[in-house]
Amino acid sequence: MANHKSSIKRIRQTASRRLRNRYYAKTARNAVRNLRKITNKVEAEEKLRKVSAMLDRLASKNAISKNKAANLKSKLAKTVAKLAA
């Protein structure tokens, strides 16, 4: 167990951040999964904007890496582009 006040506080902060990051990352995974299920192109394009913004926010807060966010956005954009109108 930690002996310094600062390290005890750091442990508390790390635990709360970990829970928050897990929640947001899981929410993003669900949003990506739901976007991939959509077959209507117009609906998918609207959802793509929201999911892209969500991924950018997560990357800026370091919940996921910026490269992972970029890769997901790229793959989702390709998927939406392939949909028939």
Side-chain angles (χ1 to χ4, degrees):
M1 183 62 195
N3 293 320
H4 297 285
K5 276 178 120 176
S6 61
S7 57
I8 293 170
K9 179 179 178 181
R10 181 62 64 190
I11 290 168
R12 284 197 317 265
Q13 288 176 330
T14 303
S16 62
R17 285 190 186 129
R18 179 174 176 269
L19 285 174
R20 191 178 315 123
N21 287 342
R22 282 180 64 195
Y23 168 76
Y24 287 129
K26 181 66 174 180
T27 304
R29 280 197 300 274
N30 288 336
V32 168
R33 193 176 299 127
N34 291 337
L35 176 57
R36 287 188 175 132
K37 287 181 185 175
I38 296 174
T39 55
N40 183 2
K41 186 167 186 150
V42 176
E43 187 181 339
E45 286 173 343
E46 290 176 18
K47 184 85 170 171
L48 178 63
R49 278 195 288 278
K50 292 179 182 175
V51 172
S52 294
M54 179 191 295
L55 292 172
D56 286 334
R57 266 195 309 278
L58 287 175
S60 70
K61 294 181 181 185
N62 290 324
I64 60 173
S65 74
K66 63 179 183 175
N67 284 344
K68 181 176 179 70
N71 288 338
L72 284 171
K73 286 168 42 179
S74 171
K75 288 176 185 173
L76 289 173
K78 281 185 181 179
T79 304
V80 170
K82 285 181 186 176
L83 292 176

